[in-house]
Amino acid sequence: LSSSSANFTWNYNGESYFEYALVGGSQTINTATIYSISTFSTPTFTGISNFAQYTFYVRAICANGNRTPWTTILVDLN
């Protein structure tokens, strides 16, 4: 984390592709822009605000195209 950006990494169980999103405040994943990424990349979000809460969502895309349930972590910059 810095004053205006955040990088995210996670452990995975052999998957190669993921979807992720960052939402602010009381927003839900239903209102988010969903991004795709491979295991060789690290998502970075810029323009985040101090004194705010965000929720980071990530899920795996399996080889057969199925998606795992979302995993979340609360990011509190208060």
Side-chain angles (χ1 to χ4, degrees):
L1 290 174
S2 73
S3 62
S4 64
S5 67
N7 297 332
F8 291 89
T9 62
W10 55 87
N11 293 325
Y12 58 95
N13 198 20
E15 296 85 358
S16 296
Y17 297 98
F18 299 87
E19 292 180 329
Y20 66 94
L22 185 70
V23 298
S26 61
Q27 293 178 323
T28 66
I29 191 64
N30 297 331
T31 63
T33 300
I34 308 297
Y35 300 96
S36 297
I37 198 167
S38 73
T39 56
F40 303 109
S41 302
T42 300
T44 300
F45 290 93
T46 58
I48 61 174
S49 301
N50 288 327
F51 310 109
Q53 286 186 340
Y54 296 90
T55 303
F56 179 72
Y57 289 81
V58 64
R59 68 181 175 186
I61 303 173
C62 302
N64 65 4
N66 290 339
R67 287 154 169 79
T68 63
W70 289 108
T71 299
T72 63
I73 186 169
L74 180 64
V75 180
D76 189 347
L77 301 177
N78 287 314

